[in-house]
Amino acid sequence: MTVFLQTRGTSPLVVSMPHSGTFLPDGLGDRLTDEARGLPDTDWHVPELYNFLGELGASSIRATHSRYVVDLNRDPTGSSLYPGQATTELVPTTLFDGRPVYKPGEEPDEAEIEQRRTDYFDPYHRALTELLVKTRMEHGFALLWDAHSIADEVPRLFDGVLPDLNLGTHGGESCDRTIERWAVKAMMDHEEYASIVNGRFKGGWITRAYGRPSQNIHAVQMELAMSAYADEGLPWTYNEAKADTLRKALKDVMKAALDAARSLYSGEVK
């Protein structure tokens, strides 16, 4: 099975969905705990939610495999993205709530981890790099939107209830400030949703690794509270009515970010 699905669009917008996959290679499911086999930390239904990307001319790439195979949004060197805070590894051994992913004695060793990096991590990122470079060559710049979602309450990872819309720009380093400012304004215009920028989720490895404003590649991460478009359960149940409402906000924010980027390269913003 291919490790990613890709579409080529006509605009400078590139959307990455690294955590929406659910496929497990043969034999891996037998090694997982009962809790992990339910894939509780999946970004459920994100491709369905973003079914409007064709309207924006966006290119997209999304993982087919579960993040328990390999986490495409972690630093492959093993460095923590959030020092001092709980997180998970390149090949996760714990669930978000701290329970084990693997049955005792079934954890992957270093050789297996390296093999998974070679087989799954590297192909995705080669494809994403190529997509961004081609997009920049065609349009003069590229805007990467890294699409995620998570349960509203995960006490091990953050206190309280997560806002609905969580925009991350690595503290303003992964994109031009104009892009961040226009996107935040569009979020705040949708008062029906609680929004924050660079809160608990400032952007994972993809946002930080690819966001290079000086090289005309800008990156933002959008972490959504899953209850904004789905009903709680395992797996979460897609709620079309909620999703339709949220799509309007997402489209507005994405259009604002894209318009801001275009204005930068048209000379309209100094």
Side-chain angles (χ1 to χ4, degrees):
M1 184 177 187
T2 181
V3 300
F4 60 85
L5 299 174
Q6 179 176 296
T7 60
R8 188 77 170 92
T10 58
S11 82
L13 180 62
V14 176
V15 179
S16 168
M17 304 178 190
H19 291 155
S20 60
T22 57
F23 184 75
L24 296 173
D26 289 344
L28 182 57
D30 295 336
R31 298 165 59 189
L32 304 185
T33 62
D34 290 342
E35 295 81 11
R37 276 198 295 272
L39 309 181
D41 303 326
T42 301
D43 291 8
W44 293 107
H45 310 297
V46 165
E48 295 168 76
L49 178 65
Y50 281 89
N51 68 1
F52 58 86
L53 294 181
E55 300 173 29
L56 303 181
S59 299
S60 66
I61 181 170
R62 63 183 178 93
T64 55
H65 288 59
S66 169
R67 69 189 301 161
Y68 297 154
V69 178
V70 71
D71 193 327
L72 299 169
N73 200 31
R74 293 293 180 269
D75 189 330
T77 69
S79 298
S80 176
L81 298 173
Y82 296 97
Q85 294 178 289
T87 186
T88 53
E89 314 99 316
L90 179 68
V91 174
T93 57
T94 58
L95 304 177
F96 283 173
D97 63 11
R99 290 180 295 175
V101 169
Y102 292 90
K103 297 173 182 177
E106 296 289 351
E107 300 87 352
D109 59 18
E110 290 185 9
E112 183 179 356
I113 291 171
E114 183 59 29
Q115 190 64 53
R116 291 197 203 177
R117 174 179 169 175
T118 299
D119 291 345
Y120 305 104
F121 186 95
D122 291 349
Y124 186 92
H125 285 283
R126 280 196 298 268
L128 178 54
T129 298
E130 183 177 338
L131 194 53
L132 288 168
V133 170
K134 286 182 177 178
T135 300
R136 181 180 61 182
M137 289 177 63
E138 182 176 347
H139 298 280
F141 71 95
L143 174 62
L144 172 61
W145 181 280
D146 203 37
H148 296 266
S149 68
I150 192 171
D152 307 47
E153 297 182 69
V154 187
R156 179 170 170 263
L157 299 185
F158 53 83
D159 296 330
V161 179
L162 193 71
D164 301 303
L165 307 176
N166 300 263
L167 188 74
T169 66
H170 194 203
E173 294 184 21
S174 65
C175 71
D176 189 277
R177 288 288 189 177
T178 299
I179 296 173
E180 178 187 295
R181 187 168 63 251
W182 288 29
V184 170
K185 171 64 166 57
M187 285 199 308
M188 296 305 174
D189 285 345
H190 283 271
E191 297 180 356
E192 66 272 29
Y193 295 111
S195 302
I196 193 169
V197 60
N198 292 316
R200 171 61 177 88
F201 296 100
K202 296 178 173 65
W205 189 78
I206 289 174
T207 304
R208 303 181 195 200
Y210 291 99
R212 294 290 183 268
S214 64
Q215 298 175 26
N216 296 355
I217 296 180
H218 305 266
V220 300
Q221 175 178 295
M222 177 60 81
E223 186 82 60
L224 299 170
M226 226 174 290
S227 66
Y229 67 90
D231 299 323
E232 189 169 4
L234 194 59
W236 284 64
T237 303
Y238 191 65
N239 185 313
E240 189 62 54
K242 287 183 179 180
D244 279 344
T245 302
L246 181 58
R247 280 194 196 101
K248 297 173 185 176
L250 283 175
K251 280 194 277 191
D252 285 347
V253 178
M254 296 176 85
K255 286 178 181 177
L258 191 55
D259 287 346
R262 284 177 168 142
S263 72
L264 288 169
Y265 293 94
S266 69
E268 296 176 12
V269 175
K270 303 296 184 183

